[in-house]
Amino acid sequence: DIVMTQSPLSLPVTPGEPASISCRSSQSVLNSNGYNYVDWYLQKPGQSPQLLIYLGSNRASGVPDRFSGSGSGTDFTLRISRVEAGDVGVYYCMQTLQTPLTFGGGTKVEIK
Amino acid sequence: QVQLQESSPGLVQPSETLSLTCGVSGYSISSGYYWGWIRQSPGKRLEWIGAMYHTENVYYNPSLSSRVTLSVDTSKNQFSLKLKSVTAADTAVYWCVRIGDDVSGYSIDYWGQGTLVTVSS
């Protein structure tokens, strides 16, 4: 199985400031088609996870452009350019290159 | 708007079979996409259980494959999960999900609200 490792575990943030979360895969998730099969999800308190980024860098429908994904191969980053209070929750990366699909352990973002 | 809704068995006895059904509205299962299940046990990371495309392509997490069966009922526009011989380790929130195709990188674009299943006598 591909192991996904996220850091940090917890991220206190100040509204209006940028934030970034790292995700590393135990093997490359770059497909021969040139796409990185990594998604990012946000689980807000009391809600189900929601898709933010797919294929490494593509924003899902309705996701603000404050969110961006980057990286390739085994190292990926989710960036929030200006954190808002509504961005709090647990962020997960997930690889979809091969089954079983696997998730990172999560990064809890909270307001300072 | 696509919506998924899990049934809620709540409490399951150890060694019994956990059965969950996911009702889908706003989209016909037979039209495409993968349909699957994800769970999260207390203190653990999200775990992919399995997914299926119609009835011909079914994929299971090897860690659960000996105990899991996924099925679909297109007449009711719903799909189901059965997990046999459950133990306390199967206590978790279970979500049914829709998984996109290769164009979207098999991302999960719709999630149910999740249902807590507790295994206890």
Side-chain angles (χ1 to χ4, degrees):
Chain A
D1 297 3
I2 298 178
V3 178
M4 307 297 283
T5 303
Q6 286 182 238
S7 61
L9 201 61
S10 176
L11 182 60
V13 296
T14 301
E17 294 295 307
S20 66
I21 299 169
S22 175
C23 178
R24 178 167 292 178
S25 56
S26 61
Q27 62 190 78
S28 176
V29 293
L30 175 63
N31 197 1
S32 56
N33 61 11
Y35 291 100
N36 289 281
Y37 280 60
V38 165
D39 301 335
W40 289 94
Y41 298 84
L42 165 60
Q43 185 175 22
K44 295 183 179 181
Q47 297 184 19
S48 300
Q50 59 188 84
L51 178 65
L52 295 176
I53 302 289
Y54 65 95
L55 290 173
S57 60
N58 296 276
R59 271 189 303 278
S61 176
V63 174
D65 59 8
R66 301 183 291 104
F67 292 90
S68 63
S70 64
S72 185
T74 61
D75 290 286
F76 300 89
T77 301
L78 176 71
R79 290 187 175 86
I80 310 172
S81 59
R82 298 174 307 281
V83 174
E84 296 183 359
D87 298 336
V88 298
V90 182
Y91 289 77
Y92 297 97
C93 59
M94 181 183 86
Q95 68 80 21
T96 60
L97 181 67
Q98 62 182 230
T99 59
L101 309 185
T102 49
F103 293 85
T107 294
K108 186 174 184 178
V109 171
E110 51 194 6
I111 299 296
K112 283 182 181 176
Chain B
Q1 176 73 348
V2 179
Q3 292 186 316
L4 290 76
Q5 178 68 57
E6 302 91 350
S7 58
S8 51
L11 186 67
V12 181
Q13 302 286 320
S15 79
E16 298 290 303
T17 295
L18 181 163
S19 295
L20 288 172
T21 296
C22 182
V24 180
S25 60
Y27 189 85
S28 173
I29 288 179
S30 58
S31 294
Y33 287 96
Y34 289 85
W35 305 88
W37 296 88
I38 288 169
R39 71 178 185 178
Q40 187 171 38
S41 300
K44 298 287 186 68
R45 63 181 60 194
L46 293 161
E47 180 179 32
W48 177 79
I49 298 171
M52 62 189 153
Y53 185 88
H54 295 174
T55 56
E56 59 265 26
N57 296 328
V58 185
Y59 303 88
Y60 296 121
N61 191 324
S63 67
L64 298 167
S65 60
S66 63
R67 299 193 292 131
V68 172
T69 302
L70 303 188
S71 61
V72 61
D73 185 340
T74 54
S75 67
K76 295 182 178 179
N77 211 39
Q78 64 185 33
F79 58 102
S80 299
L81 161 71
K82 289 189 184 301
L83 180 64
K84 63 182 182 182
S85 305
V86 297
T87 69
D90 295 309
T91 293
V93 174
Y94 287 76
W95 288 275
C96 58
V97 298
R98 190 181 84 166
I99 302 170
D101 56 17
D102 190 52
V103 173
S104 69
Y106 304 107
S107 58
I108 302 172
D109 56 2
Y110 289 98
W111 298 66
Q113 66 181 30
T115 186
L116 175 62
V117 177
T118 302
V119 178
S120 175
S121 56

